[in-house]
Amino acid sequence: MLVKTFRWAFVVTALGLAAGVLYDGWTALGLVAILAVLEISLSFDNAVINAGILKKMNAFWQKIFLTVGIVIAVFGMRLVFPVMIVAISARLSPWNAVHLALTDKNRYQELVTDAHPSIAAFGGMFLLMIFLDFLFEDRDIKWLGWVERPLARLGRVDMLSVCIALVVLLASATTFGAHAHQHGGTHADKTETVLLAGVAGLVTYLVVGGLSGFFEQRIEDEEEREQEAEEQAERAGGSRSPVKLAGRAAFFMFLYLEVLDASFSFDGVIGAFAITNDIVLMALGLGIGAMYVRSLTVYLVRQGTLDDYVYLEHGAHYAIGALSVILLVTIQHEINEIVTGLVGVVLIAWSFWSSVRRNRALQSAS
């Protein structure tokens, strides 16, 4: 099962490392490997969140996630995205941006650094909305009950997460945005830029999340009509299988997954510039890492890991909340990528250990 799920990740690793050696010698191999590890460490929480969504989708859309989705993730976010942000921020054509990235790597890195406030604001607000909606939802299983119970009651207030997100955005724009970090250690007033990018991230979440929720509700109505037939089959000795999202519902959930993956990619792409400013090596290393994250997502779904370790999803969402705050802080202050990666790893490891303790307690009680 493990080899079957990760076989393409292993193939991409071998091809990526070989391409790195052919492109710039053995030093490039080390850089590609480091970038791949960086991407995996920063995106492990992404895999857990993706698995929670992907398990609702049928086998066809799970396959689309691993094929079309990985093309979008690798070529879209890890190669095209760094070029496009330079093209937009520097008002260059995409071709000129690529030319700049290949011929004047230092200038290219400077332009990416100057564009970071808008990237961080967009990604930070999108991820913050995911965290807040999770936090204010009344769930049957609670991990940190002393925090989650009162917040679930507060969640009954309509649009509370949006209001809080807008307050956070306003505070971030007038504090961090007013002294945004730029290349060379200088600072500039990017208040308006941060506000616009943050609102764009918020609107993107509301539109994509709203559409996916709408179609998910439509398919839940169909599930109710099939519920009785499934129960009858179960009583007759047959197996009962849950209805998986398909059609338009699955399409919008897939779209939501891609936007979510894009938001998670921001810190990896920006962090990669601390290691190299060569976009070819960045695409190879981050692409390898993205393939492992995709494979890990499918592995978690097929193994039923989220059902066995019920607090994992909680830990991943808390890691999302931490990452959103870190992204907003990095508008003004530089934060080492090791810190960013460790925060997510620690929270997920803590939630995993809590799940193990819970399972042991339930076994002892039975």
PDB file of all heavy atoms in Angstrom, residues 203-222:
ATOM      1  N   VAL A 203     -12.422  37.297   0.003  1.00  0.00           N
ATOM      2  CA  VAL A 203     -13.468  37.094  -1.010  1.00  0.00           C
ATOM      3  C   VAL A 203     -13.278  35.755  -1.720  1.00  0.00           C
ATOM      4  O   VAL A 203     -14.248  35.028  -1.972  1.00  0.00           O
ATOM      5  CB  VAL A 203     -13.458  38.253  -2.026  1.00  0.00           C
ATOM      6  CG1 VAL A 203     -14.373  37.939  -3.212  1.00  0.00           C
ATOM      7  CG2 VAL A 203     -13.900  39.550  -1.357  1.00  0.00           C
ATOM      8  N   THR A 204     -12.025  35.412  -2.022  1.00  0.00           N
ATOM      9  CA  THR A 204     -11.751  34.128  -2.674  1.00  0.00           C
ATOM     10  C   THR A 204     -12.233  32.969  -1.822  1.00  0.00           C
ATOM     11  O   THR A 204     -12.862  32.024  -2.323  1.00  0.00           O
ATOM     12  CB  THR A 204     -10.247  33.976  -2.946  1.00  0.00           C
ATOM     13  OG1 THR A 204      -9.809  35.038  -3.791  1.00  0.00           O
ATOM     14  CG2 THR A 204      -9.948  32.652  -3.632  1.00  0.00           C
ATOM     15  N   TYR A 205     -11.967  33.042  -0.519  1.00  0.00           N
ATOM     16  CA  TYR A 205     -12.420  31.976   0.388  1.00  0.00           C
ATOM     17  C   TYR A 205     -13.946  31.895   0.403  1.00  0.00           C
ATOM     18  O   TYR A 205     -14.521  30.806   0.324  1.00  0.00           O
ATOM     19  CB  TYR A 205     -11.905  32.237   1.801  1.00  0.00           C
ATOM     20  CG  TYR A 205     -12.497  31.274   2.814  1.00  0.00           C
ATOM     21  CD1 TYR A 205     -11.943  30.013   2.992  1.00  0.00           C
ATOM     22  CD2 TYR A 205     -13.622  31.618   3.562  1.00  0.00           C
ATOM     23  CE1 TYR A 205     -12.491  29.117   3.889  1.00  0.00           C
ATOM     24  CE2 TYR A 205     -14.178  30.728   4.461  1.00  0.00           C
ATOM     25  CZ  TYR A 205     -13.612  29.476   4.624  1.00  0.00           C
ATOM     26  OH  TYR A 205     -14.164  28.589   5.506  1.00  0.00           O
ATOM     27  N   LEU A 206     -14.604  33.041   0.506  1.00  0.00           N
ATOM     28  CA  LEU A 206     -16.058  33.049   0.599  1.00  0.00           C
ATOM     29  C   LEU A 206     -16.707  32.518  -0.683  1.00  0.00           C
ATOM     30  O   LEU A 206     -17.679  31.763  -0.628  1.00  0.00           O
ATOM     31  CB  LEU A 206     -16.559  34.467   0.890  1.00  0.00           C
ATOM     32  CG  LEU A 206     -16.197  35.034   2.270  1.00  0.00           C
ATOM     33  CD1 LEU A 206     -16.650  36.487   2.381  1.00  0.00           C
ATOM     34  CD2 LEU A 206     -16.820  34.209   3.384  1.00  0.00           C
ATOM     35  N   VAL A 207     -16.147  32.891  -1.833  1.00  0.00           N
ATOM     36  CA  VAL A 207     -16.730  32.454  -3.110  1.00  0.00           C
ATOM     37  C   VAL A 207     -16.517  30.957  -3.325  1.00  0.00           C
ATOM     38  O   VAL A 207     -17.476  30.205  -3.556  1.00  0.00           O
ATOM     39  CB  VAL A 207     -16.127  33.260  -4.281  1.00  0.00           C
ATOM     40  CG1 VAL A 207     -16.563  32.659  -5.621  1.00  0.00           C
ATOM     41  CG2 VAL A 207     -16.562  34.716  -4.204  1.00  0.00           C
ATOM     42  N   VAL A 208     -15.275  30.527  -3.239  1.00  0.00           N
ATOM     43  CA  VAL A 208     -14.972  29.118  -3.508  1.00  0.00           C
ATOM     44  C   VAL A 208     -15.576  28.223  -2.431  1.00  0.00           C
ATOM     45  O   VAL A 208     -16.190  27.187  -2.730  1.00  0.00           O
ATOM     46  CB  VAL A 208     -13.455  28.899  -3.606  1.00  0.00           C
ATOM     47  CG1 VAL A 208     -13.140  27.432  -3.842  1.00  0.00           C
ATOM     48  CG2 VAL A 208     -12.873  29.738  -4.725  1.00  0.00           C
ATOM     49  N   GLY A 209     -15.419  28.616  -1.162  1.00  0.00           N
ATOM     50  CA  GLY A 209     -16.000  27.827  -0.076  1.00  0.00           C
ATOM     51  C   GLY A 209     -17.515  27.804  -0.134  1.00  0.00           C
ATOM     52  O   GLY A 209     -18.143  26.786   0.141  1.00  0.00           O
ATOM     53  N   GLY A 210     -18.117  28.943  -0.507  1.00  0.00           N
ATOM     54  CA  GLY A 210     -19.574  28.997  -0.608  1.00  0.00           C
ATOM     55  C   GLY A 210     -20.111  28.109  -1.713  1.00  0.00           C
ATOM     56  O   GLY A 210     -21.114  27.399  -1.527  1.00  0.00           O
ATOM     57  N   LEU A 211     -19.451  28.123  -2.870  1.00  0.00           N
ATOM     58  CA  LEU A 211     -19.895  27.273  -3.969  1.00  0.00           C
ATOM     59  C   LEU A 211     -19.739  25.794  -3.640  1.00  0.00           C
ATOM     60  O   LEU A 211     -20.633  24.988  -3.915  1.00  0.00           O
ATOM     61  CB  LEU A 211     -19.103  27.612  -5.240  1.00  0.00           C
ATOM     62  CG  LEU A 211     -19.457  28.930  -5.925  1.00  0.00           C
ATOM     63  CD1 LEU A 211     -18.487  29.220  -7.056  1.00  0.00           C
ATOM     64  CD2 LEU A 211     -20.887  28.894  -6.458  1.00  0.00           C
ATOM     65  N   SER A 212     -18.610  25.424  -3.047  1.00  0.00           N
ATOM     66  CA  SER A 212     -18.408  24.023  -2.698  1.00  0.00           C
ATOM     67  C   SER A 212     -19.416  23.587  -1.636  1.00  0.00           C
ATOM     68  O   SER A 212     -19.952  22.475  -1.694  1.00  0.00           O
ATOM     69  CB  SER A 212     -16.974  23.802  -2.196  1.00  0.00           C
ATOM     70  OG  SER A 212     -16.726  24.558  -1.022  1.00  0.00           O
ATOM     71  N   GLY A 213     -19.707  24.476  -0.673  1.00  0.00           N
ATOM     72  CA  GLY A 213     -20.702  24.151   0.348  1.00  0.00           C
ATOM     73  C   GLY A 213     -22.099  24.005  -0.231  1.00  0.00           C
ATOM     74  O   GLY A 213     -22.875  23.138   0.180  1.00  0.00           O
ATOM     75  N   PHE A 214     -22.428  24.865  -1.203  1.00  0.00           N
ATOM     76  CA  PHE A 214     -23.752  24.802  -1.846  1.00  0.00           C
ATOM     77  C   PHE A 214     -23.964  23.465  -2.545  1.00  0.00           C
ATOM     78  O   PHE A 214     -24.986  22.804  -2.363  1.00  0.00           O
ATOM     79  CB  PHE A 214     -23.896  25.944  -2.845  1.00  0.00           C
ATOM     80  CG  PHE A 214     -25.113  25.838  -3.722  1.00  0.00           C
ATOM     81  CD1 PHE A 214     -26.376  26.119  -3.220  1.00  0.00           C
ATOM     82  CD2 PHE A 214     -24.997  25.439  -5.040  1.00  0.00           C
ATOM     83  CE1 PHE A 214     -27.497  26.020  -4.024  1.00  0.00           C
ATOM     84  CE2 PHE A 214     -26.106  25.337  -5.853  1.00  0.00           C
ATOM     85  CZ  PHE A 214     -27.365  25.627  -5.345  1.00  0.00           C
ATOM     86  N   PHE A 215     -22.971  23.053  -3.333  1.00  0.00           N
ATOM     87  CA  PHE A 215     -23.128  21.800  -4.068  1.00  0.00           C
ATOM     88  C   PHE A 215     -22.994  20.592  -3.151  1.00  0.00           C
ATOM     89  O   PHE A 215     -23.573  19.533  -3.422  1.00  0.00           O
ATOM     90  CB  PHE A 215     -22.120  21.733  -5.215  1.00  0.00           C
ATOM     91  CG  PHE A 215     -22.502  22.606  -6.374  1.00  0.00           C
ATOM     92  CD1 PHE A 215     -21.855  23.811  -6.589  1.00  0.00           C
ATOM     93  CD2 PHE A 215     -23.521  22.242  -7.224  1.00  0.00           C
ATOM     94  CE1 PHE A 215     -22.210  24.626  -7.649  1.00  0.00           C
ATOM     95  CE2 PHE A 215     -23.894  23.056  -8.291  1.00  0.00           C
ATOM     96  CZ  PHE A 215     -23.236  24.249  -8.506  1.00  0.00           C
ATOM     97  N   GLU A 216     -22.245  20.735  -2.075  1.00  0.00           N
ATOM     98  CA  GLU A 216     -22.172  19.646  -1.106  1.00  0.00           C
ATOM     99  C   GLU A 216     -23.537  19.437  -0.448  1.00  0.00           C
ATOM    100  O   GLU A 216     -23.967  18.310  -0.198  1.00  0.00           O
ATOM    101  CB  GLU A 216     -21.105  19.946  -0.049  1.00  0.00           C
ATOM    102  CG  GLU A 216     -20.871  18.789   0.915  1.00  0.00           C
ATOM    103  CD  GLU A 216     -19.756  19.079   1.900  1.00  0.00           C
ATOM    104  OE1 GLU A 216     -19.178  20.175   1.845  1.00  0.00           O
ATOM    105  OE2 GLU A 216     -19.464  18.195   2.723  1.00  0.00           O
ATOM    106  N   GLN A 217     -24.241  20.537  -0.174  1.00  0.00           N
ATOM    107  CA  GLN A 217     -25.576  20.432   0.398  1.00  0.00           C
ATOM    108  C   GLN A 217     -26.537  19.757  -0.577  1.00  0.00           C
ATOM    109  O   GLN A 217     -27.398  18.957  -0.181  1.00  0.00           O
ATOM    110  CB  GLN A 217     -26.099  21.826   0.759  1.00  0.00           C
ATOM    111  CG  GLN A 217     -27.480  21.826   1.405  1.00  0.00           C
ATOM    112  CD  GLN A 217     -27.495  21.070   2.715  1.00  0.00           C
ATOM    113  OE1 GLN A 217     -26.624  21.274   3.565  1.00  0.00           O
ATOM    114  NE2 GLN A 217     -28.463  20.180   2.887  1.00  0.00           N
ATOM    115  N   ARG A 218     -26.377  20.061  -1.865  1.00  0.00           N
ATOM    116  CA  ARG A 218     -27.224  19.437  -2.878  1.00  0.00           C
ATOM    117  C   ARG A 218     -27.045  17.918  -2.882  1.00  0.00           C
ATOM    118  O   ARG A 218     -28.010  17.161  -2.973  1.00  0.00           O
ATOM    119  CB  ARG A 218     -26.871  19.999  -4.265  1.00  0.00           C
ATOM    120  CG  ARG A 218     -27.226  21.458  -4.462  1.00  0.00           C
ATOM    121  CD  ARG A 218     -28.705  21.641  -4.759  1.00  0.00           C
ATOM    122  NE  ARG A 218     -29.068  21.021  -6.011  1.00  0.00           N
ATOM    123  CZ  ARG A 218     -28.972  21.606  -7.198  1.00  0.00           C
ATOM    124  NH1 ARG A 218     -28.499  22.842  -7.282  1.00  0.00           N
ATOM    125  NH2 ARG A 218     -29.333  20.975  -8.295  1.00  0.00           N
ATOM    126  N   ILE A 219     -25.806  17.473  -2.771  1.00  0.00           N
ATOM    127  CA  ILE A 219     -25.573  16.036  -2.809  1.00  0.00           C
ATOM    128  C   ILE A 219     -25.984  15.367  -1.495  1.00  0.00           C
ATOM    129  O   ILE A 219     -26.338  14.191  -1.458  1.00  0.00           O
ATOM    130  CB  ILE A 219     -24.111  15.714  -3.161  1.00  0.00           C
ATOM    131  CG1 ILE A 219     -24.051  14.340  -3.832  1.00  0.00           C
ATOM    132  CG2 ILE A 219     -23.218  15.731  -1.949  1.00  0.00           C
ATOM    133  CD1 ILE A 219     -22.749  14.057  -4.517  1.00  0.00           C
ATOM    134  N   GLU A 220     -25.957  16.120  -0.394  1.00  0.00           N
ATOM    135  CA  GLU A 220     -26.436  15.571   0.873  1.00  0.00           C
ATOM    136  C   GLU A 220     -27.929  15.289   0.812  1.00  0.00           C
ATOM    137  O   GLU A 220     -28.421  14.339   1.422  1.00  0.00           O
ATOM    138  CB  GLU A 220     -26.109  16.535   2.015  1.00  0.00           C
ATOM    139  CG  GLU A 220     -24.656  16.506   2.441  1.00  0.00           C
ATOM    140  CD  GLU A 220     -24.364  17.490   3.544  1.00  0.00           C
ATOM    141  OE1 GLU A 220     -25.313  18.190   3.995  1.00  0.00           O
ATOM    142  OE2 GLU A 220     -23.200  17.577   3.964  1.00  0.00           O
ATOM    143  N   ASP A 221     -28.659  16.123   0.059  1.00  0.00           N
ATOM    144  CA  ASP A 221     -30.087  15.857  -0.129  1.00  0.00           C
ATOM    145  C   ASP A 221     -30.300  14.538  -0.870  1.00  0.00           C
ATOM    146  O   ASP A 221     -31.226  13.779  -0.565  1.00  0.00           O
ATOM    147  CB  ASP A 221     -30.733  17.008  -0.916  1.00  0.00           C
ATOM    148  CG  ASP A 221     -30.703  18.316  -0.145  1.00  0.00           C
ATOM    149  OD1 ASP A 221     -30.576  18.253   1.096  1.00  0.00           O
ATOM    150  OD2 ASP A 221     -30.788  19.389  -0.774  1.00  0.00           O
ATOM    151  N   GLU A 222     -29.421  14.272  -1.835  1.00  0.00           N
ATOM    152  CA  GLU A 222     -29.507  13.002  -2.556  1.00  0.00           C
ATOM    153  C   GLU A 222     -29.163  11.838  -1.635  1.00  0.00           C
ATOM    154  O   GLU A 222     -29.745  10.761  -1.735  1.00  0.00           O
ATOM    155  CB  GLU A 222     -28.567  13.017  -3.755  1.00  0.00           C
ATOM    156  CG  GLU A 222     -28.930  14.034  -4.826  1.00  0.00           C
ATOM    157  CD  GLU A 222     -27.943  14.029  -5.983  1.00  0.00           C
ATOM    158  OE1 GLU A 222     -27.149  13.060  -6.067  1.00  0.00           O
ATOM    159  OE2 GLU A 222     -27.965  14.973  -6.778  1.00  0.00           O
TER     160      GLU A 222
END
